[in-house]
């Protein structure tokens, strides 16, 4: 179940498909789901998202946001392809990406035809959670400490397998220097 890289950090965890994080955007009432790429690649998993909802408005197909892919409205085709502590000379570039992805989420959640946004990266434990923290700070007014506390509690409760395998989950410390900007 657990594989370790050279640093001793868990790098791959077999996570059951039913373990993903569901957050509710208090401003729009829409669902934000954070998961790993394996779930998103399974059409059955996507279908289950719409079948398990009682509210008819949330039965639409979700909007999928892969933070490893470039955002359409940026003139420079850049993505959050870096999954490690950001070097000081790259902080501005990655801060711009956090703002861009947060803005993109904000715009998508305002669209009436989108009721659920699924955000993901490889494992859904570093980049995606950090993008969500930035979104809740920039567009919902949460402070960094309150966003981190809320997200950590939500992620660890809803994804217990990966939380047990990775003491740093979600990996907010990887991008701490970005969030301090």
């Amino acid at each position: 179940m657990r594989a370790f890289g050279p640093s001793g950090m868990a790098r791959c965890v077999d996570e059951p498909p039913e373990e993903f994080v569901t957050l509710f955007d208090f401003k729009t009432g829409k669902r934000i789901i954070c998961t790993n790429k394996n779930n998103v690649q399974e059409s059955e998993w996507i279908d289950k998202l719409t079948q398990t909802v009682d509210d008819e408005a949330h039965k639409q197909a979700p909007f999928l946001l892969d933070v490893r892919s470039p955002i359409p409205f940026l003139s420079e085709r850049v993505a959050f392809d870096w999954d490690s502590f950001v070097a000081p000379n790259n902080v501005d570039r990655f801060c711009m990406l956090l703002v861009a992805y947060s803005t993109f989420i904000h715009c998508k959640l305002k669209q009436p035809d989108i009721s659920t946004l699924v955000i993901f990266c490889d494992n859904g434990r570093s980049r995606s959670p950090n993008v969500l923290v930035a979104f809740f700070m920039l567009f919902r007014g949460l402070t960094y400490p309150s966003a981190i506390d809320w997200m950590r509690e939500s992620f660890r409760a809803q994804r217990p397998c990966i939380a047990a395998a990775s003491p740093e989950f979600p990996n907010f410390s990887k991008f701490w220097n970005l969030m301090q900007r």
Side-chain angles (χ1 to χ4, degrees), residues 14-104:
D14 290 329
E15 187 174 24
E18 64 274 5
E19 289 190 14
F20 54 89
V21 175
T22 301
L23 304 169
F24 289 92
D25 178 27
F26 55 86
K27 192 165 186 173
T28 63
K30 296 181 179 183
R31 290 189 307 170
I32 300 171
I33 293 174
C34 186
T35 191
N36 58 58
K37 71 176 181 220
N38 295 333
N39 281 347
V40 175
Q41 292 170 349
E42 295 293 326
S43 61
E44 292 174 4
W45 185 85
I46 300 288
D47 291 342
K48 275 188 175 181
L49 285 182
T50 58
Q51 294 169 0
T52 58
V53 175
D54 294 332
D55 180 8
E56 287 298 319
H58 286 95
K59 288 196 180 216
Q60 303 162 322
F63 178 83
L64 305 178
L65 176 58
D66 181 352
V67 299
R68 302 164 307 165
S69 298
I71 298 174
F73 64 79
L74 290 180
S75 58
E76 184 183 352
R77 302 294 292 164
V78 294
F80 214 147
D81 53 2
W82 190 257
D83 190 23
S84 176
F85 186 80
V86 177
N89 61 322
N90 286 325
V91 168
D92 288 342
R93 175 179 176 253
F94 283 94
C95 280
M96 183 271 308
L97 277 175
L98 283 175
V99 170
Y101 280 106
S102 297
T103 303
F104 191 67

Side-chain angles (χ1 to χ4, degrees), residues 130-179:
N130 276 284
V131 168
L132 288 174
V133 166
F135 165 74
F136 281 106
M137 288 172 59
L138 292 169
F139 289 96
R140 300 302 181 254
L142 273 63
T143 64
Y144 181 69
S146 62
I148 292 291
D149 289 347
W150 175 56
M151 297 281 288
R152 183 173 287 125
E153 185 176 321
S154 298
F155 274 70
R156 294 189 72 75
Q158 295 179 54
R159 294 176 72 184
C161 286
I162 199 167
S166 179
E168 289 292 318
F169 174 72
N171 298 329
F172 294 124
S173 60
K174 270 189 188 178
F175 303 108
W176 180 86
N177 59 338
L178 295 181
M179 297 301 188

